[in-house]
Amino acid sequence: MSNLSYTLESLDGLEKKLLITIPLDIVQQNYRKSFQKVRSQARVNGFRQGKAAHNIVAKRYDAYIKDEIIQNLVPEYYEKALEEANLIAATQPKFNKLELEQNKPMTFEAVFSAWPDFSLDIEPEIKLAKEEITVTDEEKQNKIDGYLDQAATYEKSSKEKAEEGDRLLLDFKAEVEGEDPFEQKQHAYDLGSKQFYPEIEEALIGLGCNEEKVISFNLPSDEGTSDNVKGKSLVFTCTITEIQDKKKAELNEEFFQRYGKEIKTQDDFNKFIEDQITREKEDAQKTQHRTSIKEQLQNILTFEIPEEVLKNEIEGQKQIIERDKKELSEAEIETEATEKASKNLRFHHFISMKKEKENIQIDDNLVRQRFMFTAQMMQIDPQELARQEYGKQVYQSVYSSMLEEAVLDKIIEKIL
């Protein structure tokens, strides 16, 4: 750039210092602009607004004019110098020695930490195995049976006792030690689905309609149980109000129409099922490849991380680990936090740089769609979430996830 002059000095570690000079003509141009703006608004006794004497405005508003010029030019020329020096700043700059006079070029220093150079061409080092995707008759039949189950209807049974596979309508009350009781009426439960604890499932088998059953046991202490109820006693009181038999759906034209107007025959439906299983396997394989690349990158990426950036990330990781792993010692927390922080920072910086090199773009419409889906999964109105400060964090997280997927998919495409 012809209107930019700078010198670069390497300090300790990854710290850099840029001495930047802004040409005289740019300084004077911005001075005239700021001066005219101030003069047009200035109110000075003895003069109409905007008509104050040049020397009076210059003297009275000198500090304000210089401050506005600095705010306008320093960030702009700092960014230009970074670009010309081919540097990626990792920390906010500290600006020093801001020297501004109307009739001299402006000079200032910017001290900051920069990311180091490293190779983005990691594809030759990544090992991926591409497996041919096949669909078996058993897989197709299992998928068809699943759809038939979804379309099944239920009718009152003549059975006197509940059996595995029955649908039960239950009135129940769950009382956990130290917690508020939870009651529900006419809850539909498929016996054998194992959504209830095993003790409850076993007690329901053989239970008749309108028979009350009280089941007492201690809740497990494994990871599948919420921390606030682990090991506590549960009293589960239930009554079966109705036993229902499942009436399986039939493979006919009415059933096929559920899955698209173009599906009219058994052959059409079989093709639909095979295509769906194929897509699911392709998605699963892609997910495995993404995970594999991410794991391999942890060994490939070894570049130095700016000290200040690493320190901040370690503190964040320590807070998470202290919350989730209370059994760890302070030294163990420090070790784990440092390892996770280093891996995360290297990986995310790699993703950012690879995006720029490959010119990878993320469709805003797709980001909004996933954001809306995420909000719905959180049971929050998407528009309400978007208005919240937390919603901005969720949106950024969604964008980052999609960017990561896009970059990793680009690497997969090159390798396979």
Side-chain angles (χ1 to χ4, degrees):
M1 298 181 185
S2 59
N3 61 347
L4 173 67
S5 172
Y6 71 89
T7 59
L8 174 64
E9 181 181 348
S10 294
L11 306 178
D12 292 338
L14 295 173
E15 198 171 40
K16 308 289 183 183
K17 180 168 72 174
L18 281 168
L19 177 59
I20 301 169
T21 301
I22 302 175
L24 175 60
D25 62 326
I26 299 296
V27 174
Q28 291 178 330
Q29 177 185 330
N30 277 262
Y31 188 90
R32 286 193 296 271
K33 183 178 178 182
S34 293
F35 178 86
Q36 291 301 331
K37 174 184 170 184
V38 170
R39 189 184 184 207
S40 68
Q41 299 171 355
R43 294 180 182 273
V44 179
N45 290 337
F47 296 92
R48 287 181 296 158
Q49 182 177 342
K51 300 297 182 180
H54 190 287
N55 63 326
I56 294 176
V57 174
K59 183 176 180 180
R60 180 174 295 187
Y61 295 100
D62 181 67
Y64 177 87
I65 292 170
K66 286 182 176 180
D67 187 59
E68 184 173 68
I69 294 171
I70 287 171
Q71 289 184 37
N72 288 338
L73 293 182
V74 168
E76 177 186 350
Y77 277 80
Y78 166 68
E79 291 295 333
K80 287 181 177 181
L82 283 179
E83 184 179 353
E84 186 148 313
N86 198 27
L87 291 173
I88 305 295
T91 60
Q92 290 297 317
K94 296 176 182 178
F95 296 122
N96 305 315
K97 299 182 180 179
L98 292 159
E99 300 175 5
L100 174 61
E101 294 183 28
Q102 182 181 352
N103 296 313
K104 290 184 179 180
M106 177 182 174
T107 61
F108 66 94
E109 286 182 356
V111 178
F112 58 95
S113 292
W115 289 101
D117 289 332
F118 64 97
S119 175
L120 290 168
D121 300 321
I122 49 79
E123 287 82 3
E125 299 181 63
I126 298 291
K127 307 299 180 187
L128 294 179
K130 184 175 182 180
E131 299 178 6
E132 185 179 352
I133 292 175
T134 58
V135 179
T136 67
D137 291 340
E138 182 181 2
E139 289 171 329
K140 286 188 281 189
Q141 189 58 54
N142 288 339
K143 179 69 76 174
I144 291 171
D145 289 343
Y147 279 123
L148 289 172
D149 277 342
Q150 290 175 18
T153 56
Y154 293 85
E155 54 188 27
K156 188 173 182 178
S157 175
S158 59
K159 294 176 185 174
E160 296 183 358
K161 304 290 183 181
E163 300 174 1
E164 188 167 322
D166 291 338
R167 170 163 287 188
L168 310 179
L169 298 184
L170 289 173
D171 291 346
F172 71 82
K173 181 179 182 180
E175 299 172 279
V176 178
E177 174 190 348
E179 304 290 330
D180 293 334
F182 176 74
E183 295 186 63
Q184 194 158 354
K185 300 288 187 182
Q186 296 294 91
H187 175 72
Y189 184 73
D190 294 327
L191 191 52
S193 65
K194 300 182 180 179
Q195 293 179 345
F196 281 160
Y197 288 104
E199 293 86 348
I200 299 175
E201 284 256 354
E202 292 171 9
L204 289 173
I205 294 175
L207 192 65
C209 279
N210 301 315
E211 289 184 37
E212 185 180 274
K213 187 79 172 182
V214 180
I215 310 128
S216 301
F217 59 96
N218 289 333
L219 294 170
S221 299
D222 56 22
E223 292 183 358
T225 307
S226 299
D227 289 340
N228 62 316
V229 298
K230 284 182 177 179
K232 290 187 176 182
S233 63
L234 167 66
V235 178
F236 189 88
T237 306
C238 62
T239 303
I240 298 176
T241 60
E242 184 173 298
I243 300 173
Q244 297 180 339
D245 291 326
K246 179 190 289 186
K247 185 179 179 183
K248 201 171 184 179
E250 295 182 4
L251 290 170
N252 53 33
E253 188 171 349
E254 181 182 357
F255 174 81
F256 298 147
Q257 288 295 295
R258 290 168 173 257
Y259 306 101
K261 294 181 180 180
E262 69 280 2
I263 302 176
K264 298 178 180 179
T265 67
Q266 176 79 57
D267 287 342
D268 293 338
F269 186 63
N270 288 344
K271 180 67 166 55
F272 165 78
I273 291 294
E274 185 170 353
D275 290 345
Q276 188 177 63
I277 296 173
T278 299
R279 285 194 300 272
E280 289 171 356
K281 288 190 172 186
E282 287 173 345
D283 289 343
Q285 189 177 85
K286 183 174 287 187
T287 299
Q288 290 174 353
H289 286 156
R290 289 171 182 163
T291 301
S292 177
I293 292 172
K294 196 168 181 177
E295 290 173 350
Q296 292 180 63
L297 282 173
Q298 292 174 359
N299 296 320
I300 295 171
L301 301 175
T302 58
F303 57 82
E304 188 180 356
I305 301 170
E307 184 177 346
E308 182 181 338
V309 176
L310 180 58
K311 181 180 178 181
N312 291 338
E313 181 70 12
I314 289 173
E315 288 305 311
Q317 289 295 332
K318 283 170 68 173
Q319 291 178 18
I320 296 172
I321 297 168
E322 287 168 354
R323 182 194 66 200
D324 297 341
K325 298 183 178 180
K326 296 181 175 62
E327 73 281 3
L328 294 184
S329 68
E330 188 174 331
E332 289 171 328
I333 291 172
E334 183 74 29
T335 299
E336 185 170 330
T338 301
E339 182 181 357
K340 285 188 174 181
S342 300
K343 289 178 178 178
N344 285 349
L345 287 170
R346 288 191 180 104
F347 176 74
H348 289 298
H349 183 57
F350 167 81
I351 292 293
S352 176
M353 297 300 293
K354 194 73 168 175
K355 168 190 177 291
E356 295 301 320
K357 181 180 180 181
E358 303 287 348
N359 193 30
I360 294 172
Q361 304 296 323
I362 307 298
D363 190 325
D364 289 340
N365 290 326
L366 295 179
V367 178
R368 281 193 288 270
Q369 288 175 20
R370 190 178 292 191
F371 173 81
M372 292 176 65
F373 176 77
T374 302
Q376 290 164 0
M377 293 295 290
M378 297 167 66
Q379 297 184 329
I380 302 176
D381 178 73
Q383 293 184 347
E384 176 61 30
L385 182 60
R387 287 191 288 268
Q388 299 174 13
E389 189 63 33
Y390 176 63
K392 297 176 184 177
Q393 298 175 23
V394 173
Y395 189 91
Q396 183 58 43
S397 177
V398 167
Y399 172 83
S400 297
S401 295
M402 295 184 69
L403 173 60
E404 177 182 319
E405 291 169 5
V407 171
L408 295 177
D409 289 347
K410 188 72 173 180
I411 295 172
I412 293 170
E413 180 185 321
K414 286 188 173 183
I415 295 173
L416 301 179

